[in-house]
Amino acid sequence: MLLGLIRPSQGSIHLFGKDLKKEKLNILRKVGSLVEYPSNYGHLTAVQNLEAIRRILDVPKSRIDEVLDIVQLTKEAKRPVKGYSLGMKQRLGIASALLGSPELLILDEPTNGLDPAGIHEIRELIRSMPKQHGITVLVSSHLLSEVEQMAGTVGIIREGVMVFQDTIHNLQQQAAGGFQLKVSNPQEALQLIHAEGYSGELNKGALMLTKMSDQQIANVIKRLVDNHHDIYRVEENRKSLEDIFMQVIGQGGIL
Amino acid sequence: MSSMLRVLSAERLKMSRSYMVLLMFISPILAFIIGLLSEVGDTPQPWIALLGSLSMLHAMLFMPIMSGIFAAFICRYEHAGGGWKQLLVLPVTRTGVYVAKFTVIALLLAMMQLLFLAAIVILGFIKGIHDPFPWDIFARSIIGGWVACLPLAALQLAVSLMWNSFAAPLALNVMLTIPNMLVINSATYGPYYPWAQPFLATLPGESTIYGNDPFGAFNLPFESLMITVVGSFIVFFTAGWLYFRRKEV
């Protein structure tokens, strides 16, 4: 919808402060995109594929070599694309998205169907975009671990409504849950902790403590040791992005 | 407009290594072979007779069918693997893309017509026809036939855009072309059947040339044929264009 492929049933879209309806061409000129799987003309070489797009974008021919260099396809550039691996096609797709020197790059499921090496390759490529070329990258993906490794800011959309948007750092802060302590005598230990003024509860014989600072946790442990409790384990209960995702989605009450 | 020309230039490049271009040689070559085997000998107007005998296959079957094949081919690359999305996220207008695609089909058909003309001229020399070449009649036939193909090309482009399949538009096209053999002999329906127009336009005023009794739709004036052509062109082209502008890809 951001690219004008589908019309919004209501509302308007503004990119770069411009209305998509009125200035679609000006906006599209500044946006590079790779929608779903990469599409290309199999009987043509990478260079010819890019040339076909270059003619439409009307950018200098030198851009072709530049983008091929960015995605490291220069060596394979003269081969027909139908012989490419999926990873190479994906890189070619990113190359064509970069051809018009966009300010915004929209990638839909960029690592879909790739092998681990390919995923790593594409991920590194995407992460280098903002740093090396100053391009904002918008990635949509259902692979949460991928998002966790790539994104700076995440948004979660549920049934067409943005239910969450924040930086990944803040999200991980939220994700950092409490601590779990396994001790020799949980009951007494819990009383001790309550006496110290911390909140906690018992869960399957383990002490669950809410989030606290390093200093606080050190203090709790010191107190437990001083009172002759044996501490078997201290674990941090870090929620994965998936848990948070499920939590955010679940709040809609649909599940 | 500039958007359309840029798409056109990209389209040309996409075709550069495909076999599609070779398809336009099929009909002229077949016409050439038929021409070699046919007798034009003693007719008073040997060039016209040659045109008449070669048009049977070329104008009645191949021109409508090739319009469909070109249209299907030109959409095939985009249908295969989400190409529409990639094309339409570029800074191009849908109208630009649509007109460019149509222009490519029109140009391919024009080239096919020129090859057909070339085949007739070469045959004429081989057969030793010494009459002066009737440029005016041939120009009307070749250009008229081409123009009469454009509505079919527009319809085929529209259905090719609509259906994510290569064969379905072709099946429709052949289905609509086959009745030609009957329709052209009908004075009632012939003038209004778009698929018959390329043939009728290629053989203009045959009855006046030969002076024989008019039969079927052959005797219709060139102008009235063109009304059917222009009318159906406007309908098909506009329908395809409106559809493509609203299409969600």
Side-chain angles (χ1 to χ4, degrees):
Chain A
M1 210 183 274
L2 287 177
L3 300 164
L5 292 177
I6 304 174
R7 281 160 195 267
S9 49
Q10 55 176 335
S12 63
I13 296 168
H14 289 259
L15 281 178
F16 309 112
K18 293 175 188 158
D19 190 343
L20 183 68
K21 225 178 220 165
K22 290 178 197 136
E23 299 190 57
K24 188 173 148 194
L25 292 193
N26 286 333
I27 291 172
L28 287 182
R29 197 169 283 281
K30 290 205 243 174
V31 179
S33 56
L34 176 59
V35 186
E36 282 168 19
Y37 40 94
S39 135
N40 42 57
Y41 306 103
H43 60 291
L44 301 177
T45 67
V47 173
Q48 287 170 321
N49 264 286
L50 291 170
E51 171 67 14
I53 297 169
R54 188 201 68 84
R55 289 189 186 181
I56 294 176
L57 290 169
D58 208 16
V59 292
K61 272 204 151 92
S62 60
R63 277 298 292 165
I64 291 180
D65 293 331
E66 286 171 37
V67 292
L68 280 173
D69 190 45
I70 292 173
V71 298
Q72 294 165 15
L73 273 179
T74 312
K75 268 187 279 174
E76 318 286 342
K78 299 273 188 269
R79 261 173 54 192
V81 172
K82 59 185 164 203
Y84 278 24
S85 72
L86 194 54
M88 290 162 75
K89 284 182 186 165
Q90 198 82 20
R91 278 186 284 160
L92 178 61
I94 294 179
S96 29
L98 289 171
L99 201 58
S101 314
E103 292 171 30
L104 173 65
L105 194 59
I106 298 181
L107 305 174
D108 183 16
E109 309 277 7
T111 53
N112 231 2
L114 296 184
D115 58 87
I119 291 177
H120 181 77
E121 219 168 69
I122 298 291
R123 189 197 304 142
E124 291 305 311
L125 190 60
I126 291 170
R127 284 168 62 158
S128 70
M129 289 299 152
K131 285 179 214 142
Q132 290 175 16
H133 308 284
I135 302 169
T136 308
V137 187
L138 176 66
V139 177
S140 79
S141 178
H142 58 248
L143 297 171
L144 298 170
S145 60
E146 278 304 313
V147 174
E148 202 163 8
Q149 291 177 68
M150 278 193 280
T153 307
V154 292
I156 298 176
I157 294 175
R158 183 175 62 84
E159 290 176 7
V161 182
M162 182 86 103
V163 289
F164 180 89
Q165 186 180 7
D166 209 336
T167 63
I168 195 98
H169 184 72
N170 281 350
L171 192 65
Q172 278 164 347
Q173 287 277 302
Q174 281 192 16
F179 292 89
Q180 177 176 326
L181 261 67
K182 289 206 174 138
V183 294
S184 50
N185 193 340
Q187 286 292 353
E188 277 180 33
L190 186 65
Q191 283 167 12
L192 186 67
I193 286 164
H194 282 310
E196 288 291 316
Y198 299 117
S199 59
E201 58 185 55
L202 216 54
N203 182 12
K204 291 178 196 161
L207 278 172
M208 309 298 288
L209 301 179
T210 50
K211 207 174 133 193
M212 49 179 65
S213 70
D214 290 352
Q215 192 55 54
Q216 285 170 320
I217 195 78
N219 193 35
V220 169
I221 292 169
K222 190 162 169 289
R223 294 289 304 150
L224 288 172
V225 172
D226 288 349
N227 286 279
H228 310 291
H229 287 285
D230 292 336
I231 299 174
Y232 305 136
R233 277 188 190 82
V234 182
E235 289 165 342
E236 190 182 5
N237 264 346
R238 177 179 283 271
K239 279 191 258 179
S240 69
L241 203 53
E242 188 174 303
D243 294 332
I244 300 175
F245 180 81
M246 292 312 291
Q247 197 182 330
V248 171
I249 295 285
Q251 276 164 12
I254 300 298
L255 287 176
Chain B
M1 188 63 197
S2 72
S3 152
M4 192 281 262
L5 291 177
R6 283 184 280 118
V7 179
L8 198 57
S9 145
E11 287 296 330
R12 203 206 63 74
L13 181 76
K14 285 178 208 167
M15 286 192 301
S16 61
R17 280 204 195 174
S18 93
Y19 299 113
M20 176 176 153
V21 177
L22 298 179
L23 289 173
M24 68 186 182
F25 287 94
I26 292 177
S27 178
I29 288 173
L30 273 178
F32 187 78
I33 295 168
I34 292 169
L36 276 181
L37 301 176
S38 69
E39 278 301 321
V40 281
D42 300 328
T43 43
Q45 304 225 29
W47 286 111
I48 307 289
L50 196 56
L51 174 65
S53 64
L54 300 192
S55 298
M56 271 305 180
L57 195 64
H58 176 73
M60 190 154 74
L61 282 181
F62 274 102
M63 281 166 71
I65 287 175
M66 288 317 256
S67 311
I69 293 181
F70 289 147
F73 250 101
I74 206 110
C75 295
R76 198 177 68 141
Y77 294 123
E78 270 69 25
H79 278 315
W84 286 117
K85 287 181 182 170
Q86 174 153 359
L87 181 59
L88 294 175
V89 296
L90 296 171
V92 291
T93 58
R94 297 228 175 164
T95 309
V97 172
Y98 183 74
V99 176
K101 292 265 182 209
F102 184 77
T103 310
V104 173
I105 303 171
L107 288 177
L108 286 168
L109 287 171
M111 281 189 271
M112 188 173 85
Q113 286 294 82
L114 290 179
L115 287 171
F116 180 66
L117 179 64
I120 294 180
V121 173
I122 295 169
L123 274 174
F125 281 111
I126 293 174
K127 299 247 171 203
I129 298 175
H130 297 294
D131 284 29
F133 190 71
W135 278 111
D136 52 339
I137 293 174
F138 270 79
R140 267 164 67 109
S141 290
I142 296 295
I143 297 171
W146 176 67
V147 172
C149 271
L150 297 182
L152 315 187
L155 178 75
Q156 287 301 314
L157 179 61
V159 292
S160 297
L161 289 170
M162 227 172 276
W163 295 336
N164 193 358
S165 143
F166 185 68
L170 292 185
L172 176 80
N173 189 28
V174 172
M175 227 167 66
L176 290 166
T177 303
I178 298 297
N180 266 358
M181 296 168 198
L182 302 174
V183 171
I184 51 167
N185 290 312
S186 154
T188 327
Y189 302 110
Y192 306 108
Y193 192 65
W195 283 263
Q197 303 312 311
F199 182 66
L200 297 179
T202 305
L203 292 183
E206 198 179 42
S207 54
T208 51
I209 292 166
Y210 289 114
N212 52 11
D213 283 335
F215 76 100
F218 291 95
N219 60 332
L220 276 163
F222 197 57
E223 288 71 21
S224 74
L225 292 183
M226 283 300 146
I227 291 170
T228 305
V229 169
V230 169
S232 55
F233 176 76
I234 291 171
V235 171
F236 293 151
F237 189 82
T238 319
W241 174 65
L242 288 177
Y243 168 77
F244 188 56
R245 280 191 35 157
R246 316 212 134 256
K247 182 181 163 80
E248 298 200 341
V249 289

